[in-house]
Amino acid sequence: MNTTRKTIILVDDNLANLTMGKNMLTTFYQVIPVASAAAMFDALDKVTPDIILLDIDMPEMDGYEAIKKLKADGNWKDIPVIFLTALDNAENEVEGFDLGAVDYVTKPFSAPMLLKRIEKELLFVEQRQDLLRTQMELQNNLENLRAIVHEKAEMVMHLQNAVFATVVDMVEFRDKYTGGHVVRTQCYLKTLLDEMIKEGVYADEISDWDLTFVLSSAKLHDVGKIAIPDIILGKNARLTQEEYEIMKIHVPAGVEAIERIISKTEEHDFLVHAIRMAGTHHEKWDGSGYPIGLKGHNIPLEGRLMAIADVYDALISKRQYKEALTHEEACKIIEEGAGSQFDPVLVDVFKNVEGEFHKIAARYID
């Protein structure tokens, strides 16, 4: 027997029809003749056919009940079923199609017609299987492409972070009195954002943010210090008013540096947050800050957040010209600055997480 031939289960309670049908099909197919629906299910436990030819009018279990049972079983539901019937009744055909039959063949059989109907259905099954295989291949290819894109994106992000980290390290190397400032302000910023999300503070605004970008961009808030002369950046005493004015230049210098990067790249999401932090973290809620004198909500949220993180870290850090304040003293200054230096809503958020700020400071300050 040629094992490559398609397998058909032929179900008919009439022995003459069963014999005639088998004789018509055996030349081209492997045929399993059975005389009842029960015998068909017994055969299905042993073999999965490519198609079932199912008589409708049978005792005990007719074709309609049999196809219901077939379609309810996950192992058999996809086997195409062609109904065999001696009745030419449109209502019966509609019912059969509703139950899942793919075609009807009337008895007595016409060999050419029966073979053509089977050939048509098996071709359709083969085409459907080819389509499913193609869809699976396309899905696998798409998943592989997504994995490659994700891997490349991660590589770009790692490279980007490495470049920015190097720039930040250069700034901190020159400004030897602010070592660890960048790491701490990132941690403070994350603590504030986590609490804002929890409380629903400025939810509409931050819902559009990629928080990974926001936190990474915080590294660049003081990048403009690279333009400040060493004699001022490394001074062991408090700055004079003239020197302080020069120090203020680090804000527009930082904005300019980031703008140059933006002009050379198509991906700006990361840098939009960076430029807002670098350019506005010294603005004050009452408009008395620098470099522009922005006021209230005209100050970007990124700048208002960084203002709290930046000032807290400056207060609790020791400098050559000052001792470090205690956590409690720093918190008092920030809370008293609500509505003047700082966004009062964000100060309320800070109050809820000031203990986390203390832990961060203790972890990263020697």
Side-chain angles (χ1 to χ4, degrees), residues 69-269:
K69 186 174 179 180
L70 282 169
K71 297 304 178 182
D73 191 296
N75 295 320
W76 304 329
K77 65 183 181 63
D78 292 327
I79 302 172
V81 175
I82 294 177
F83 270 142
L84 307 176
T85 180
L87 302 175
D88 186 8
N89 186 307
E91 291 184 2
N92 288 342
E93 290 189 16
V94 169
E95 182 179 0
F97 285 130
D98 286 343
L99 293 173
V102 297
D103 205 348
Y104 265 79
V105 173
T106 57
K107 297 184 287 187
F109 303 130
S110 162
M113 181 61 71
L114 180 60
L115 289 169
K116 184 58 67 175
R117 294 288 183 87
I118 293 171
E119 179 185 354
K120 174 185 69 83
E121 185 54 39
L122 291 177
L123 177 61
F124 176 75
V125 169
E126 185 175 339
Q127 291 173 339
R128 183 174 59 185
Q129 290 172 344
D130 287 343
L131 178 60
L132 290 174
R133 280 192 293 269
T134 300
Q135 289 177 332
M136 185 65 70
E137 289 174 3
L138 288 174
Q139 183 65 32
N140 290 337
N141 290 338
L142 180 59
E143 290 176 0
N144 290 337
L145 181 59
R146 285 174 177 164
I148 291 171
V149 170
H150 180 70
E151 182 180 354
K152 293 293 184 183
E154 285 195 336
M155 289 175 63
V156 171
M157 180 63 76
H158 288 321
L159 178 60
Q160 172 181 275
N161 287 339
V163 171
F164 289 143
T166 300
V167 173
V168 170
D169 287 345
M170 290 172 62
V171 174
E172 289 206 330
F173 177 77
R174 293 185 65 237
D175 189 1
K176 59 181 180 291
Y177 300 119
T178 59
H181 173 70
V182 169
V183 172
R184 293 192 297 274
T185 51
Q186 270 189 298
C187 293
Y188 301 145
L189 190 63
K190 183 179 187 305
T191 300
L192 288 171
L193 285 168
D194 287 345
E195 185 65 16
M196 289 169 67
I197 292 170
K198 178 182 175 182
E199 296 180 27
V201 174
Y202 293 127
D204 290 342
E205 191 164 352
I206 65 177
S207 64
D208 294 330
W209 289 3
D210 184 319
L211 297 186
T212 301
F213 283 175
V214 176
L215 295 174
S216 296
S217 67
K219 298 176 182 178
L220 297 178
H221 76 278
D222 270 342
V223 68
K225 285 186 177 179
I226 202 165
I228 305 302
D230 287 339
I231 193 170
I232 294 177
L233 202 60
K235 186 175 180 180
N236 293 337
R238 187 175 296 275
L239 299 180
T240 65
Q241 185 59 39
E242 182 180 357
E243 290 168 337
Y244 181 58
E245 292 302 319
I246 295 174
M247 178 62 82
K248 288 182 179 180
I249 294 172
H250 84 275
V251 173
V255 170
E256 182 181 357
I258 299 169
E259 284 178 340
R260 287 181 181 178
I261 300 172
I262 289 176
S263 70
K264 294 176 172 62
T265 179
E266 295 180 358
E267 294 297 331
H268 299 159
D269 289 350

